Amino acid sequence: MTTIGEALIRLLEAHGVDAVFGIPGVHTIELYRGLARSGIRHVTPRHEQGAGFMADGYARASGRPGVAFVITGPGLTNTITAMAQARADSVPMLVISGVNSSATLGRGLGYLHELPDQLGMMAKVALSSRQVVQAAELPGAIAEAFEIFATRRPGPVHIEIPLDVMPLPAEGLRPLSRTLATQVPDIVSIMAATRLIAASQRPLILAGGGAKRTEAALVALAGKIDAPVITTTNGRGLMHGHQLNVPASPSLKAVRALMADSDLVIAVGTEFGPTDYDMYGDGGFVLPRRLIRIDIDAAQMQRRPATVSVQAEAGAALVALAAVVDSRSRAADGADRARSAREGAWQEIGPDMQAQVAVVETIRNALPGALIVGDSTQPVYAANLYYDHDRPGGWFNAATGYGALGYGPPAAIGAALAVPDAPVVCLSGDGGFQFTLPELGAALDGPAPVIFVVWNNRGYREIETSMLDAGVEPVGVSPVPPDFIAIASAYGIAAERIHGAAKLGPALLGARATGRPFLIEIVVA
């Protein structure tokens, strides 16, 4: 007899899932019944939040949904932080949980891991939260999740299966076949956008995370209309080294000046969130007067009105525009405008942040094509303001959007398992690293040859600085860091401590040569 738990594994395989992240528990044992005999790899984090962050990193690196298995109650609530980060950054994540037996739900009888309304709670965080109560519902629930990932702005989806439902017979279940066609733009919106472009003299493109897999089409359109391209944090890595690229935050005055000087802005896959466009909270960002928005999500379009809205997958819309716009003679000053903005932004961030950006550039130059997965730490903050990565989608972190500390280590493990041939570096601070420090063990289990770079300034230095700037005496911002080298050694992971970043390049090359997880601690004065 095939059970619902076994059928679930087969359905996930049919939808292309090759890895799941989770900690087994008595409330999910039946979900694991068919896992050992499947082609799906299971990775055990040391905390369910790590399972969610690993699924997030896997999804960002691979472009495929990350999948987590968690128990009901605390397992699921531990995963909520990761789900909220995924929702903020439009990351496809499927969380499959157990829930107590059907007859007990909502009755407050005190069962193990009981929540008053688990499904209702998850509906507040997930794009969709669905309970499966009989075998026939399972193929549709899985298909619906993957349809959401493919046809809408992605994010977390939750499916729960009650304890008494998991072992029920589920013979003959087959995956539902749904046509998941690329969402193409309608001709009316494309022609309206084309007319605006034709009438402009100084166009500009904003490329967000929704554009990170569209580099060829983005380069083609930008070149045809001679438009500088500003890449937000989640768009970094696009157009590396290109003369039209401005890899700098729209929160900087020099970048805002470029936007203000443009007579048309084309925004591709960006939500205009304050952590990208107004991170200093000065209210200095205003929507451009002439704006073309390209986004897959209709609700997102309504939040920020545009002159012309093109609802479509970013790549399809860029290809359609590039095919019809006229590469007519212009002032051809796009490269000059981009260079001026780059130079102004670089000077604006100042010497301290320039030095921190240099740390990130050292990683990029030592390990070309690496995925750099960041946590909230000083070099990451600085590079989010200004940094040109060399791999589309290869720079991501949790310092924008939801802003969850502890994201970097588990997300880097997920990324390394998704793209095993690429170097993966986790850049974390000593404070944030302690949030998910035990995931070093999961890197060994993988094995995931992540290079963990710990920026050790002995505390939450950005928060301390903010307190001082506000005239508040710093309290609670100097947690004592452990001996990271000793902890790595306890896990059997090789490690190296350097003072300052001068020796970081050689240390990275040595770490990469081992082919195993490695920890580099940078002690900052």
Side-chain angles (χ1 to χ4, degrees):
M1 181 189 79
T2 299
T3 67
I4 284 182
E6 290 173 302
L8 170 67
I9 300 302
R10 294 179 185 177
L11 290 170
L12 290 176
E13 279 191 293
H15 283 275
V17 174
D18 61 8
V20 298
F21 305 91
I23 302 176
V26 294
H27 284 63
T28 53
I29 286 175
E30 284 297 332
L31 297 186
Y32 281 76
R33 184 174 293 278
L35 195 54
R37 300 189 303 275
S38 76
I40 296 178
R41 178 185 204 169
H42 183 272
V43 179
T44 306
R46 299 313 190 252
H47 188 279
E48 287 93 356
Q49 186 182 88
F53 285 150
M54 287 179 193
D56 179 302
Y58 176 95
R60 296 199 205 210
S62 68
R64 303 188 303 275
V67 181
F69 279 8
V70 297
I71 64 168
T72 183
L76 193 55
T77 55
N78 284 343
T79 314
I80 284 179
T81 294
M83 294 176 71
Q85 185 72 51
R87 179 151 186 168
D89 287 343
S90 305
V91 177
M93 178 191 296
L94 176 58
V95 176
I96 300 175
S97 78
V99 70
N100 287 316
S101 295
S102 305
T104 73
L105 298 181
R107 299 183 63 189
L109 299 175
Y111 280 83
L112 180 66
H113 302 331
E114 184 178 60
L115 283 167
D117 181 6
Q118 179 173 288
L119 196 68
M121 178 186 70
M122 297 312 299
K124 302 295 184 183
V125 179
L127 297 178
S128 168
S129 181
R130 178 170 174 176
Q131 185 182 103
V132 171
V133 296
Q134 55 185 3
E137 297 175 359
L138 188 61
I142 300 295
E144 180 185 71
F146 281 84
E147 185 175 22
I148 289 172
F149 299 145
T151 61
R152 291 169 46 184
R153 183 188 184 199
V157 172
H158 169 243
I159 297 172
E160 68 178 24
I161 307 176
L163 274 172
D164 57 316
V165 174
M166 293 179 194
L168 293 179
E171 300 292 346
L173 292 186
R174 298 183 180 278
L176 289 184
S177 177
R178 297 186 180 181
T179 302
L180 303 179
T182 299
Q183 189 170 343
V184 297
D186 67 88
I187 189 64
V188 174
S189 62
I190 288 295
M191 295 315 297
T194 302
R195 288 191 292 272
L196 274 181
I197 293 170
S200 69
Q201 293 300 315
R202 298 181 311 283
L204 173 71
I205 298 174
L206 302 173
K212 66 183 178 183
R213 302 187 190 279
T214 68
E215 183 169 61
L218 182 63
V219 170
L221 179 63
K224 227 175 170 187
I225 66 175
D226 192 38
V229 178
I230 298 169
T231 49
T232 69
T233 296
N234 285 325
R236 297 291 169 78
L238 288 165
M239 298 179 64
H240 172 64
H242 196 287
Q243 63 178 358
L244 291 173
N245 185 23
V246 182
S249 170
S251 293
L252 296 172
K253 293 177 182 177
V255 180
R256 288 177 175 178
L258 173 62
M259 294 174 64
D261 181 62
S262 302
D263 60 358
L264 175 66
V265 172
I266 305 169
V268 187
T270 180
E271 66 176 356
F272 293 109
T275 52
D276 271 314
Y277 290 85
D278 193 20
M279 67 172 295
Y280 296 112
D282 60 13
F285 171 72
V286 294
L287 280 177
R289 188 165 58 90
R290 289 189 179 87
L291 174 64
I292 298 171
R293 284 202 72 183
I294 297 172
D295 203 287
I296 199 169
D297 186 45
Q300 184 58 244
M301 296 284 208
Q302 294 172 2
R303 296 184 189 112
R304 304 281 190 176
T307 313
V308 173
S309 296
V310 182
Q311 185 184 349
E313 187 273 327
L318 290 171
V319 168
L321 280 174
V324 296
V325 295
D326 182 10
S327 5
R328 61 187 175 82
S329 175
R330 295 174 182 270
D333 62 349
D336 292 336
R337 293 164 60 213
R339 182 177 61 253
S340 177
R342 288 194 302 268
E343 292 172 353
W346 180 249
Q347 293 304 315
E348 188 178 337
I349 66 173
D352 288 346
M353 285 194 175
Q354 289 172 0
Q356 290 160 18
V357 172
V359 173
V360 181
E361 291 177 334
T362 297
I363 298 172
R364 179 196 65 198
N365 296 339
L367 302 173
L371 287 92
I372 304 179
V373 185
D375 214 298
S376 294
T377 192
Q378 286 180 312
V380 170
Y381 294 140
N384 280 350
L385 284 175
Y386 189 106
Y387 169 62
D388 189 12
H389 195 54
D390 65 350
R391 180 188 183 117
W395 168 263
F396 57 88
N397 55 75
T400 61
Y402 194 62
L405 263 175
Y407 169 86
I413 292 169
L417 295 173
V419 190
D421 295 333
V424 177
V425 177
C426 167
L427 180 54
S428 180
D430 60 292
F433 196 66
Q434 291 181 71
F435 275 52
T436 46
L437 183 58
E439 300 303 352
L440 285 172
L444 280 176
D445 290 345
V450 175
I451 303 172
F452 299 94
V453 177
V454 183
W455 180 263
N456 187 358
N457 57 17
R458 297 184 64 84
Y460 303 127
R461 194 52 47 83
E462 287 297 309
I463 305 303
E464 180 181 357
T465 301
S466 297
M467 282 182 157
L468 291 169
D469 289 345
V472 175
E473 184 175 352
V475 175
V477 292
S478 301
V480 176
D483 185 333
F484 291 107
I485 305 301
I487 288 178
S489 177
Y491 276 105
I493 293 176
E496 179 179 355
R497 178 181 290 125
I498 60 178
H499 293 268
K503 296 181 180 179
L504 178 57
L508 289 164
L509 292 175
R512 176 64 174 165
T514 69
R516 291 173 51 81
F518 198 100
L519 187 145
I520 300 171
E521 178 187 8
I522 304 176
V523 178
V524 183

